[in-house]
Amino acid sequence: MLLTLFESHTHFFLSMFQKMILTKIISNTLSLHKKQLIEWLPAVRYFSSPTNPLVNVDVNDKSGIAVVTMNRKPVNGLSLELFEAMSKALDDLENNRIRGAILTSSCPTVFSAGLDLNELYQPDKKRFKAFWTTFQDVWLKLYGSSFPTAAAINGHAPAGGCFLAISCEYRVMCPDYKIGLNETRLGIIAPIFLRASMRNTVSNREAEKALTLGTLYSTEDALKIGLIDEIAIYKVKAIERCENFLAQFNNVSSIARSFTKRSLRQKDLEELENCREEDFNIFWSNLIEPSVQKQIGDYMQSLKKK
Ligand SMILES: CCCCCCCCCCC/C=C/C(=O)SCCNC(=O)CCNC(=O)[C@H](O)C(C)(C)COP(=O)(O)OP(=O)(O)OC[C@H]1O[C@@H](n2cnc3c(N)ncnc32)[C@H](O)[C@@H]1OP(=O)(O)O
């Protein structure tokens, strides 16, 4: 932009040749000092976010790492309001140049039970559209974040819960819980962005098996297929391991790291960005199928009876 401004303002006064020389000098100076300039910008611009009861953000002043805690009891069902709070928290983190984020849950035995089934059952189109669009936003912001991310999975993480975890770059899970993408077992088809996160985490073959069978893995089995990276006995330990993972980036140029991450994930992000409306339409038309509604209704009943 600087160069464009410079070029437009000097248009009348300088010869083509003079302009070329000056443009080259400015461009060289800028690229030489880009790294220093960016590292000179206040590296610590951490914030205490206005508390949202659904998503608590706690930034450590020293490390610059934010712990983002989902807090929608009893099971962190992903409702429109929870997605809105997450979307806002991710914007705040992005704007405040934090050094990393750890996603976790305040529910003692559940990371997240996935999409709130009340959003899927007998849905109102206007609300569902807002819900789905915010769901897409959260994925685009989390999967495409410029800062590194990790999930401290301190409880069960079925479906949308697993989706949040695999949108992060690293996962530490506590023992004796279940994680996986069980959508097909509910008669619903995993959306493209969820499939992308899964393929980015486990091998293509494991992703295909996991998604088509709708398998929920134990913590130990999840480690075997690479769905998680480590096991930690308690939540506090899981957060500690995530911090250790994020601390490794202290010795890596943040620009080089975030550009590399972005370029590796770019194709997946663009795939959704280019078809958000179509993605909504496909899900909406399938969701309102009477057979799908019946399946979701029966499933909700079975959870309540339990
Ligand atoms: C063909 C295309 C169709 C398009 C459809 C669009 C959708 C696309 C899909 C996108 C991908 C994501 C999908 C999802 O996330 S669907 C949600 C799937 N979630 C699950 O299957 C998990 C269900 N829950 C459980 O298995 C257990 O609750 C859990 C293991 C998480 C915890 O067990 P626990 O014993 O601790 O707790 P309870 O089961 O007693 O539950 C406590 C209360 O919470 C209610 N509950 C649980 N899960 C949900 C949920 N997902 N949504 C809403 N409510 C939930 C449960 O009923 C209990 O309520 P009560 O206290 O009132 O009994």
Side-chain angles (χ1 to χ4, degrees), residues 72-79 83 109-120 128 131-132 135 155-163 177-178 180-191 193-194 216 279-280 282-289 292-293 296 299-306:
R72 184 166 183 260
K73 304 272 169 26
V75 290
N76 279 330
L78 301 166
S79 63
F83 276 141
T109 58
V110 182
F111 177 72
S112 165
L115 299 188
D116 185 334
L117 292 162
N118 298 296
E119 299 283 7
L120 305 184
F128 188 79
F131 168 75
W132 196 257
F135 179 21
H156 297 293
C162 174
F163 146 80
Y177 295 121
K178 296 273 187 195
L181 297 171
N182 57 330
E183 281 75 10
T184 50
R185 300 226 170 175
L186 313 184
I188 54 186
I189 302 165
F193 46 113
L194 203 144
L216 285 174
D279 180 60
F280 165 75
I282 292 172
F283 279 106
W284 174 253
S285 56
N286 284 299
L287 183 65
I288 55 172
E289 284 280 325
V292 174
Q293 281 299 305
I296 296 175
Y299 185 60
M300 287 169 81
Q301 281 308 315
S302 73
L303 282 174
K304 290 213 180 295
K305 273 193 207 131
K306 200 186 80 180

